[in-house]
Coordinates of all heavy atoms in Angstrom, one line a residue:
M224 N 0.8 -1.2 0.0 CA 0.0 0.0 0.0 C 0.9 1.2 0.0 O 1.8 1.4 0.8 CB -0.9 0.0 1.3 CG -1.8 1.2 1.4 SD -3.0 0.8 2.7 CE -3.2 2.4 3.4
P225 N 0.7 2.2 -1.0 CA 1.6 3.4 -1.0 C 1.3 4.3 0.1 O 0.1 4.4 0.6 CB 1.2 4.0 -2.4 CG -0.2 3.4 -2.7 CD -0.3 2.1 -2.0
V226 N 2.3 5.0 0.5 CA 2.2 6.0 1.6 C 1.9 7.4 0.9 O 2.8 7.9 0.2 CB 3.4 6.0 2.5 CG1 3.3 7.1 3.6 CG2 3.6 4.7 3.1
G227 N 0.8 8.0 1.2 CA 0.5 9.3 0.6 C 0.7 10.4 1.5 O 1.1 10.2 2.7
E228 N 0.6 11.6 1.0 CA 0.7 12.8 1.9 C -0.3 12.8 3.0 O -1.5 12.5 2.7 CB 0.5 14.1 1.0 CG 1.8 14.8 0.7 CD 1.5 16.0 -0.1 OE1 0.9 17.0 0.4 OE2 2.0 16.1 -1.3
G229 N 0.1 13.2 4.2 CA -0.9 13.3 5.3 C -1.0 12.0 6.0 O -1.7 12.0 7.0
M230 N -0.5 10.9 5.5 CA -0.6 9.7 6.2 C 0.5 9.5 7.2 O 1.6 10.0 7.0 CB -0.5 8.5 5.2 CG -1.7 8.4 4.3 SD -1.7 7.0 3.3 CE -2.0 5.7 4.5
L231 N 0.2 8.9 8.3 CA 1.2 8.6 9.3 C 2.0 7.4 9.0 O 1.5 6.4 8.6 CB 0.6 8.5 10.7 CG -0.1 9.7 11.3 CD1 -0.8 9.3 12.6 CD2 0.9 10.8 11.5
T232 N 3.3 7.5 9.1 CA 4.2 6.3 8.9 C 4.7 5.9 10.2 O 4.6 6.6 11.2 CB 5.4 6.7 8.0 OG1 6.2 7.6 8.7 CG2 5.0 7.2 6.7
R233 N 5.2 4.7 10.3 CA 5.7 4.2 11.6 C 6.8 5.1 12.0 O 6.9 5.4 13.2 CB 6.3 2.8 11.4 CG 6.8 2.2 12.7 CD 7.6 1.0 12.5 NE 6.7 -0.1 12.0 CZ 7.1 -1.4 12.0 NH1 8.2 -1.7 12.5 NH2 6.3 -2.3 11.5
R234 N 7.7 5.6 11.1 CA 8.8 6.5 11.5 C 8.3 7.8 12.1 O 8.8 8.3 13.1 CB 9.7 6.7 10.3 CG 10.9 7.6 10.6 CD 11.8 7.7 9.5 NE 12.4 6.4 9.2 CZ 13.3 6.1 8.3 NH1 13.7 7.1 7.5 NH2 13.9 5.0 8.2
S235 N 7.2 8.4 11.5 CA 6.7 9.7 12.0 C 6.1 9.5 13.4 O 6.2 10.3 14.3 CB 5.8 10.3 11.0 OG 4.6 9.6 10.9
V236 N 5.4 8.4 13.6 CA 4.8 8.1 14.9 C 5.9 7.9 15.9 O 5.8 8.4 17.0 CB 3.8 6.9 14.8 CG1 3.4 6.5 16.2 CG2 2.6 7.2 13.9
M237 N 6.9 7.2 15.6 CA 8.0 6.9 16.5 C 8.7 8.3 16.9 O 9.1 8.5 18.0 CB 9.0 5.9 16.0 CG 8.5 4.5 15.8 SD 7.7 3.8 17.3 CE 9.2 3.3 18.1
G238 N 8.8 9.2 15.9 CA 9.4 10.5 16.2 C 8.6 11.3 17.1 O 9.1 11.9 18.0
M239 N 7.3 11.2 17.0 CA 6.4 12.0 17.9 C 6.5 11.4 19.3 O 6.5 12.1 20.3 CB 4.9 11.9 17.4 CG 4.7 12.8 16.3 SD 2.9 12.9 15.9 CE 2.9 11.9 14.4
I240 N 6.5 10.1 19.4 CA 6.6 9.4 20.7 C 7.9 9.8 21.4 O 7.9 10.1 22.6 CB 6.5 7.9 20.6 CG1 5.1 7.5 20.2 CG2 6.9 7.2 21.9 CD1 4.9 6.1 19.8
A241 N 9.0 10.0 20.7 CA 10.3 10.4 21.3 C 10.2 11.9 21.7 O 10.9 12.2 22.7 CB 11.4 10.2 20.2
I242 N 9.5 12.7 21.0 CA 9.5 14.2 21.3 C 8.6 14.5 22.5 O 8.9 15.3 23.3 CB 9.0 15.0 20.1 CG1 10.1 14.9 19.0 CG2 8.7 16.4 20.4 CD1 9.7 15.4 17.7
V243 N 7.5 13.8 22.7 CA 6.5 14.2 23.8 C 7.1 14.2 25.2 O 7.0 15.1 25.9 CB 5.3 13.2 23.7 CG1 4.4 13.4 24.9 CG2 4.5 13.6 22.4
P244 N 7.9 13.1 25.6 CA 8.5 13.2 26.9 C 9.5 14.3 27.1 O 9.5 14.9 28.2 CB 9.2 11.8 27.0 CG 8.6 11.0 26.0 CD 8.1 11.9 24.9
L245 N 10.2 14.7 26.1 CA 11.1 15.9 26.2 C 10.3 17.2 26.4 O 10.7 18.0 27.2 CB 11.9 16.0 24.9 CG 12.9 14.9 24.6 CD1 13.6 15.1 23.3 CD2 14.0 14.8 25.7
A246 N 9.2 17.3 25.7 CA 8.4 18.5 25.9 C 7.8 18.5 27.3 O 7.8 19.6 28.0 CB 7.3 18.5 24.9
L247 N 7.3 17.4 27.8 CA 6.8 17.4 29.2 C 7.8 17.6 30.2 O 7.6 18.3 31.2 CB 6.1 16.0 29.4 CG 4.9 15.7 28.6 CD1 4.4 14.3 28.8 CD2 3.8 16.7 28.9
T248 N 9.1 17.1 30.0 CA 10.2 17.3 30.9 C 10.5 18.8 31.0 O 10.6 19.4 32.1 CB 11.4 16.6 30.5 OG1 11.1 15.2 30.5 CG2 12.6 16.8 31.4
G249 N 10.6 19.5 29.9 CA 10.8 20.9 29.9 C 9.8 21.7 30.6 O 10.0 22.6 31.3
R250 N 8.5 21.3 30.4 CA 7.4 22.0 31.1 C 7.5 21.8 32.6 O 7.3 22.7 33.3 CB 6.1 21.4 30.5 CG 4.9 22.1 31.1 CD 3.6 21.5 30.5 NE 2.4 21.8 31.2 CZ 1.7 22.9 31.1 NH1 2.1 23.8 30.3 NH2 0.7 23.1 31.9
A251 N 7.8 20.5 33.0 CA 7.9 20.2 34.4 C 9.0 21.0 35.1 O 8.8 21.5 36.2 CB 8.1 18.8 34.6
Q252 N 10.1 21.3 34.4 CA 11.2 22.0 35.0 C 10.9 23.5 35.1 O 11.4 24.2 35.9 CB 12.5 21.8 34.2 CG 13.0 20.4 34.4 CD 14.2 20.1 33.5 OE1 14.5 20.8 32.6 NE2 14.9 19.0 33.8
A253 N 10.1 24.0 34.1 CA 9.8 25.4 34.1 C 8.7 25.8 35.1 O 8.7 26.9 35.5 CB 9.3 25.8 32.7
M254 N 7.9 24.9 35.6 CA 6.8 25.2 36.4 C 7.2 25.8 37.8 O 6.6 26.8 38.2 CB 6.0 23.9 36.7 CG 5.1 23.5 35.5 SD 3.9 24.7 35.0 CE 2.7 24.4 36.3
P255 N 8.2 25.3 38.5 CA 8.5 25.9 39.8 C 8.8 27.4 39.8 O 8.4 28.1 40.7 CB 9.7 25.1 40.4 CG 9.6 23.8 39.6 CD 9.0 24.2 38.3
C256 N 9.5 27.9 38.8 CA 9.8 29.3 38.7 C 8.7 30.0 38.0 O 8.5 31.2 38.3 CB 11.1 29.5 37.9 SG 12.5 29.1 38.9
G257 N 8.0 29.4 37.1 CA 7.0 30.1 36.3 C 5.7 30.4 37.1 O 5.0 31.3 36.9
D258 N 5.4 29.5 38.0 CA 4.1 29.6 38.7 C 4.3 29.3 40.2 O 4.3 28.2 40.7 CB 3.1 28.7 38.1 CG 1.7 28.8 38.7 OD1 1.5 29.7 39.6 OD2 0.8 28.1 38.4
P259 N 4.5 30.4 41.1 CA 4.6 30.2 42.5 C 3.5 29.4 43.2 O 3.6 28.9 44.2 CB 4.7 31.6 43.1 CG 5.1 32.4 41.9 CD 4.5 31.8 40.7
A260 N 2.3 29.4 42.5 CA 1.1 28.7 43.1 C 1.4 27.2 43.1 O 0.7 26.5 43.9 CB -0.1 29.1 42.2
T261 N 2.3 26.7 42.4 CA 2.6 25.3 42.4 C 3.5 24.8 43.5 O 3.8 23.7 43.7 CB 3.2 24.8 41.0 OG1 4.5 25.5 40.8 CG2 2.3 25.2 39.9
L262 N 4.0 25.8 44.3 CA 5.0 25.5 45.4 C 4.2 24.8 46.5 O 3.0 25.0 46.7 CB 5.6 26.7 45.9 CG 6.5 27.5 45.0 CD1 6.9 28.8 45.6 CD2 7.8 26.7 44.7
S263 N 4.9 23.9 47.2 CA 4.3 23.2 48.4 C 4.1 24.3 49.5 O 4.7 25.3 49.5 CB 5.1 22.1 48.9 OG 6.3 22.6 49.5
A264 N 3.3 23.9 50.5 CA 3.0 24.8 51.6 C 4.4 25.1 52.4 O 4.6 26.2 52.8 CB 2.0 24.2 52.6
A265 N 5.2 24.1 52.5 CA 6.5 24.2 53.2 C 7.4 25.2 52.4 O 8.1 26.0 53.0 CB 7.2 22.9 53.3
Q266 N 7.4 25.1 51.1 CA 8.2 26.0 50.2 C 7.7 27.4 50.3 O 8.6 28.3 50.4 CB 8.2 25.5 48.8 CG 9.0 24.2 48.5 CD 8.8 23.7 47.1 OE1 7.7 23.7 46.6 NE2 9.8 23.1 46.5
K267 N 6.4 27.6 50.3 CA 5.9 28.9 50.4 C 6.2 29.5 51.8 O 6.6 30.7 51.9 CB 4.3 28.9 50.3 CG 3.9 28.6 48.8 CD 2.4 28.6 48.8 CE 1.9 28.2 47.4 NZ 0.5 28.0 47.3
S268 N 6.1 28.7 52.9 CA 6.4 29.2 54.2 C 7.9 29.6 54.3 O 8.2 30.6 54.9 CB 6.1 28.1 55.2 OG 6.5 28.4 56.5
M269 N 8.8 28.8 53.7 CA 10.2 29.1 53.8 C 10.5 30.3 53.1 O 11.3 31.2 53.6 CB 11.0 27.9 53.2 CG 12.5 28.0 53.3 SD 13.0 27.9 55.0 CE 14.5 26.9 54.8
R270 N 9.9 30.5 51.9 CA 10.2 31.7 51.1 C 9.7 33.0 51.9 O 10.3 34.0 51.9 CB 9.4 31.7 49.8 CG 10.1 30.8 48.8 CD 9.5 30.9 47.4 NE 10.1 30.0 46.4 CZ 10.1 30.2 45.1 NH1 9.4 31.2 44.6 NH2 10.7 29.4 44.3
K271 N 8.5 32.8 52.5 CA 7.9 33.9 53.3 C 8.8 34.3 54.5 O 9.1 35.5 54.7 CB 6.5 33.6 53.7 CG 5.8 34.7 54.4 CD 4.3 34.4 54.7 CE 3.6 35.6 55.3 NZ 2.2 35.3 55.6
S272 N 9.3 33.3 55.2 CA 10.1 33.5 56.4 C 11.5 34.2 56.0 O 12.1 34.9 56.8 CB 10.4 32.3 57.2 OG 11.2 31.4 56.4
L273 N 11.9 33.9 54.8 CA 13.2 34.5 54.3 C 13.0 35.9 53.6 O 13.9 36.5 53.0 CB 14.0 33.6 53.4 CG 14.5 32.3 54.1 CD1 15.1 31.4 53.0 CD2 15.5 32.7 55.1
G274 N 11.7 36.3 53.5 CA 11.4 37.6 52.8 C 11.7 37.5 51.3 O 12.1 38.5 50.7
F275 N 11.4 36.4 50.7 CA 11.7 36.2 49.3 C 10.8 37.1 48.4 O 9.6 37.2 48.6 CB 11.5 34.7 48.9 CG 11.8 34.4 47.4 CD1 13.2 34.2 47.1 CD2 10.9 34.4 46.5 CE1 13.5 34.0 45.8 CE2 11.2 34.2 45.1 CZ 12.5 33.9 44.8
K276 N 11.5 37.7 47.4 CA 10.8 38.6 46.4 C 11.3 38.3 45.0 O 12.4 37.9 44.8 CB 11.1 40.1 46.7 CG 10.8 40.6 48.0 CD 11.3 42.0 48.2 CE 11.5 42.4 49.6 NZ 12.5 41.8 50.4
S277 N 10.4 38.4 44.1 CA 10.8 38.2 42.7 C 9.9 39.1 41.8 O 8.6 39.0 41.9 CB 10.6 36.7 42.3 OG 11.0 36.6 40.9
P278 N 10.5 40.0 41.1 CA 11.9 40.2 40.9 C 12.5 41.0 42.1 O 11.8 41.7 42.9 CB 12.0 41.1 39.6 CG 10.7 41.8 39.6 CD 9.7 40.9 40.3
A279 N 13.9 40.9 42.2 CA 14.6 41.6 43.2 C 14.6 43.1 43.0 O 14.7 43.6 41.9 CB 16.1 41.1 43.2
P280 N 14.4 43.9 44.1 CA 14.3 45.4 43.9 C 15.7 46.0 43.5 O 15.8 47.0 42.8 CB 13.9 45.9 45.3 CG 14.0 44.8 46.2 CD 14.0 43.5 45.4
D281 N 16.8 45.3 44.0 CA 18.1 45.8 43.7 C 18.7 44.9 42.6 O 18.9 43.7 42.8 CB 19.0 45.7 44.9 CG 20.4 46.2 44.7 OD1 20.8 46.4 43.5 OD2 21.1 46.5 45.7
P282 N 18.9 45.4 41.4 CA 19.4 44.6 40.3 C 20.8 44.0 40.5 O 21.2 43.0 39.9 CB 19.5 45.6 39.1 CG 19.3 46.9 39.6 CD 18.7 46.8 41.0
A283 N 21.6 44.5 41.5 CA 22.9 43.9 41.8 C 22.8 42.7 42.7 O 23.7 41.9 42.8 CB 23.8 45.0 42.3
K284 N 21.7 42.7 43.5 CA 21.5 41.6 44.5 C 20.3 40.7 44.0 O 19.1 41.1 44.2 CB 21.2 42.2 45.8 CG 22.4 42.9 46.5 CD 22.0 43.3 47.9 CE 23.2 43.9 48.6 NZ 22.8 44.4 50.0
H285 N 20.6 39.6 43.5 CA 19.5 38.6 43.1 C 20.1 37.2 43.2 O 21.3 37.1 43.4 CB 19.0 39.0 41.7 CG 20.1 39.1 40.7 ND1 20.5 38.0 39.9 CD2 20.8 40.2 40.2 CE1 21.4 38.5 39.1 NE2 21.6 39.7 39.3
C286 N 19.2 36.3 43.1 CA 19.7 34.9 43.3 C 20.8 34.4 42.5 O 21.7 33.7 43.0 CB 18.5 33.9 43.1 SG 17.2 34.1 44.3
A287 N 20.9 34.9 41.2 CA 22.0 34.4 40.4 C 23.4 34.9 40.9 O 24.4 34.3 40.5 CB 21.8 34.9 38.9
T288 N 23.4 36.0 41.7 CA 24.7 36.5 42.2 C 24.9 36.1 43.7 O 25.8 36.6 44.3 CB 24.7 38.0 42.1 OG1 23.7 38.6 42.9 CG2 24.6 38.5 40.6
C289 N 24.0 35.2 44.2 CA 24.1 34.8 45.6 C 24.9 33.5 45.7 O 24.9 32.6 44.9 CB 22.6 34.5 46.1 SG 22.6 33.9 47.8
A290 N 25.6 33.4 46.8 CA 26.5 32.2 47.1 C 25.7 31.0 47.3 O 26.2 29.9 47.1 CB 27.3 32.5 48.4
F291 N 24.4 31.1 47.7 CA 23.6 29.9 47.9 C 22.9 29.4 46.6 O 22.3 28.3 46.6 CB 22.5 30.2 48.9 CG 23.0 30.5 50.3 CD1 23.0 31.8 50.8 CD2 23.6 29.5 51.1 CE1 23.5 32.1 52.0 CE2 24.1 29.8 52.3 CZ 24.0 31.1 52.8
F292 N 23.0 30.1 45.5 CA 22.4 29.7 44.2 C 23.4 28.8 43.5 O 24.5 29.2 43.2 CB 22.0 31.0 43.4 CG 21.3 30.7 42.1 CD1 19.9 30.4 42.2 CD2 21.9 30.7 40.9 CE1 19.2 30.2 41.0 CE2 21.2 30.5 39.7 CZ 19.9 30.2 39.8
T293 N 22.9 27.6 43.1 CA 23.8 26.7 42.5 C 23.5 26.5 41.0 O 24.1 25.6 40.4 CB 23.9 25.4 43.2 OG1 22.6 24.8 43.3 CG2 24.4 25.5 44.6
G294 N 22.5 27.2 40.5 CA 22.2 27.1 39.1 C 23.3 27.7 38.2 O 24.0 28.6 38.7
K295 N 23.5 27.2 37.0 CA 24.6 27.7 36.2 C 24.0 28.2 34.8 O 23.5 27.5 34.0 CB 25.6 26.6 35.8 CG 26.2 25.9 37.1 CD 27.5 26.6 37.4 CE 28.2 25.9 38.5 NZ 28.0 26.4 39.8
G296 N 24.0 29.6 34.7 CA 23.6 30.1 33.4 C 22.1 29.8 33.0 O 21.8 29.6 31.9
V297 N 21.2 29.8 34.0 CA 19.9 29.4 33.8 C 18.9 30.5 34.4 O 19.4 31.3 35.3 CB 19.5 28.0 34.4 CG1 20.3 27.0 33.6 CG2 19.9 28.0 35.8
D298 N 17.7 30.5 34.0 CA 16.7 31.4 34.6 C 16.2 30.9 36.0 O 15.8 31.7 36.8 CB 15.5 31.5 33.7 CG 15.8 32.2 32.4 OD1 16.8 32.9 32.4 OD2 15.1 32.0 31.4
C299 N 16.3 29.6 36.3 CA 15.9 29.0 37.5 C 17.0 28.1 38.0 O 17.8 27.6 37.2 CB 14.7 28.2 37.4 SG 13.2 29.0 36.7
G300 N 17.1 28.0 39.3 CA 18.1 27.1 39.8 C 17.9 26.8 41.3 O 17.1 27.4 42.0
P301 N 18.6 25.8 41.8 CA 18.5 25.4 43.2 C 19.1 26.4 44.1 O 20.2 26.9 43.8 CB 19.2 24.0 43.3 CG 19.6 23.7 41.9 CD 19.5 24.9 41.0
C302 N 18.5 26.5 45.3 CA 19.1 27.4 46.4 C 19.4 26.5 47.5 O 18.5 25.8 48.0 CB 18.0 28.4 46.8 SG 18.5 29.2 48.3
A303 N 20.7 26.5 47.9 CA 21.1 25.6 49.0 C 20.4 25.9 50.3 O 20.2 25.1 51.1 CB 22.6 25.7 49.2
L304 N 20.1 27.2 50.5 CA 19.5 27.6 51.8 C 18.0 27.1 51.8 O 17.5 26.8 52.9 CB 19.5 29.1 51.9 CG 19.3 29.7 53.3 CD1 20.5 29.3 54.2 CD2 19.2 31.2 53.2
L305 N 17.4 27.0 50.7 CA 16.0 26.5 50.6 C 16.0 24.9 50.4 O 15.2 24.4 49.7 CB 15.2 27.2 49.5 CG 15.0 28.7 49.7 CD1 14.3 29.3 48.5 CD2 14.2 28.9 51.0
S306 N 17.1 24.3 50.9 CA 17.2 22.8 50.8 C 17.1 22.4 49.3 O 16.5 21.3 49.0 CB 16.1 22.1 51.6 OG 16.2 22.5 52.9
G307 N 17.7 23.1 48.4 CA 17.7 22.7 47.0 C 16.4 23.2 46.3 O 16.3 22.8 45.1
G308 N 15.6 23.9 46.9 CA 14.4 24.4 46.3 C 14.7 25.3 45.1 O 15.7 26.0 45.1
I309 N 13.9 25.2 44.1 CA 14.2 26.0 42.8 C 13.7 27.4 43.0 O 12.5 27.6 43.5 CB 13.5 25.3 41.6 CG1 13.9 23.8 41.5 CG2 13.8 26.1 40.3 CD1 15.4 23.6 41.2
V310 N 14.5 28.3 42.6 CA 14.2 29.8 42.7 C 14.5 30.4 41.4 O 15.4 30.0 40.6 CB 14.9 30.5 43.8 CG1 14.5 30.0 45.2 CG2 16.4 30.4 43.7
P311 N 13.8 31.5 41.0 CA 14.1 32.2 39.8 C 15.4 33.0 40.0 O 15.6 33.6 41.1 CB 12.9 33.1 39.6 CG 12.3 33.3 40.9 CD 12.6 32.0 41.7
A312 N 16.2 33.1 39.0 CA 17.5 33.8 39.1 C 17.3 35.2 39.4 O 18.2 35.9 40.0 CB 18.3 33.6 37.8
N313 N 16.2 35.8 39.1 CA 16.0 37.3 39.4 C 15.3 37.5 40.7 O 15.0 38.7 41.0 CB 15.2 37.9 38.2 CG 13.7 37.4 38.3 OD1 13.3 36.5 39.0 ND2 12.9 38.1 37.5
G314 N 15.1 36.5 41.6 CA 14.6 36.7 42.9 C 15.6 37.1 43.9 O 16.8 37.2 43.6
V315 N 15.2 37.3 45.1 CA 16.2 37.6 46.2 C 15.5 37.4 47.5 O 14.2 37.4 47.6 CB 16.7 39.1 46.1 CG1 15.6 40.1 46.5 CG2 18.0 39.2 47.0
C316 N 16.2 37.1 48.6 CA 15.7 37.0 49.9 C 16.6 37.7 50.9 O 17.7 38.2 50.5 CB 15.5 35.5 50.3 SG 17.0 34.7 50.9
D317 N 16.2 37.8 52.2 CA 16.9 38.5 53.2 C 18.3 37.9 53.5 O 19.2 38.5 54.1 CB 16.1 38.6 54.5 CG 14.8 39.3 54.3 OD1 14.7 40.2 53.4 OD2 13.9 39.1 55.1
S318 N 18.5 36.6 53.1 CA 19.8 35.9 53.4 C 20.7 36.0 52.2 O 21.7 35.3 52.2 CB 19.5 34.5 53.7 OG 18.7 34.4 54.9
W319 N 20.5 36.9 51.2 CA 21.4 37.0 50.1 C 22.8 37.2 50.6 O 23.1 38.0 51.5 CB 21.0 38.2 49.2 CG 21.9 38.4 48.0 CD1 21.7 37.8 46.8 CD2 23.0 39.2 47.9 NE1 22.7 38.2 45.9 CE2 23.6 39.0 46.6 CE3 23.7 40.0 48.8 CZ2 24.7 39.7 46.1 CZ3 24.9 40.7 48.3 CH2 25.3 40.5 47.0
A320 N 23.8 36.5 50.0 CA 25.2 36.6 50.3 C 26.0 36.6 49.0 O 25.7 35.7 48.2 CB 25.7 35.5 51.2
K321 N 26.8 37.6 48.8 CA 27.6 37.7 47.5 C 28.4 36.4 47.2 O 29.1 35.9 48.1 CB 28.5 38.9 47.6 CG 29.2 39.2 46.3 CD 30.0 40.4 46.3 CE 30.6 40.7 45.0 NZ 31.5 41.8 44.9
K322 N 28.2 36.0 46.0 CA 28.9 34.8 45.5 C 30.4 35.1 45.4 O 30.8 36.2 44.9 CB 28.4 34.5 44.1 CG 28.7 33.1 43.6 CD 28.0 32.8 42.3 CE 26.7 32.1 42.5 NZ 26.1 31.6 41.4
G323 N 31.2 34.3 46.0 CA 32.6 34.6 46.1 C 33.5 34.2 45.0 O 33.4 34.2 43.9
Ligands
SF4_134 S1 19.6 32.5 49.7 FE1 18.0 33.9 49.0 S2 19.0 35.3 47.5 FE2 20.3 33.5 47.8 S3 19.7 32.0 46.2 FE3 18.5 31.5 48.0 S4 16.6 32.6 47.8 FE4 18.0 33.6 46.4

């Protein structure tokens, strides 16, 4: 049976199956920084107790320049003070310490 335009081939279906998990993974990683409403109650409480703000009012003091931020060249990354919780690079809290 000839394969015409608009028909799905086994190869095209396999390609789609390979792409879907990558798209979902990217979405899952983007969620903690993109939507604070998705944080757990413990994460919200910790951020509140540390006076976390996003974006930071002082452009020189933000998570990306903090010693506790372990993300590398990304918009979001783990904060060691928040037990590895993900924070946006442009946020800041009262415990900001200059990266050495
Ligand atoms: S300690 Fe505060 S300023 Fe530093 S990375 Fe964590 S949340 Fe950001």
Side-chain angles (χ1 to χ4, degrees):
M224 179 169 144
V226 177
E228 255 182 65
M230 292 186 67
L231 294 176
T232 63
R233 181 191 297 192
R234 183 174 290 183
S235 67
V236 170
M237 295 305 281
M239 284 187 256
I240 290 171
I242 289 170
V243 169
L245 292 175
L247 291 175
T248 300
R250 181 177 165 85
Q252 288 175 345
M254 288 298 282
C256 282
D258 185 3
T261 62
L262 295 172
S263 70
Q266 289 171 320
K267 286 178 185 173
S268 175
M269 184 68 138
R270 284 186 181 206
K271 188 174 181 180
S272 68
L273 292 175
F275 184 81
K276 301 171 200 71
S277 180
D281 181 346
K284 288 184 177 181
H285 52 89
C286 293
T288 62
C289 176
F291 296 108
F292 186 78
T293 58
K295 303 266 188 263
V297 292
D298 293 338
C299 300
C302 167
L304 201 64
L305 294 177
S306 304
I309 304 298
V310 293
N313 71 349
V315 72
C316 80
D317 297 338
S318 296
W319 180 87
K321 187 176 181 182
K322 198 174 268 192

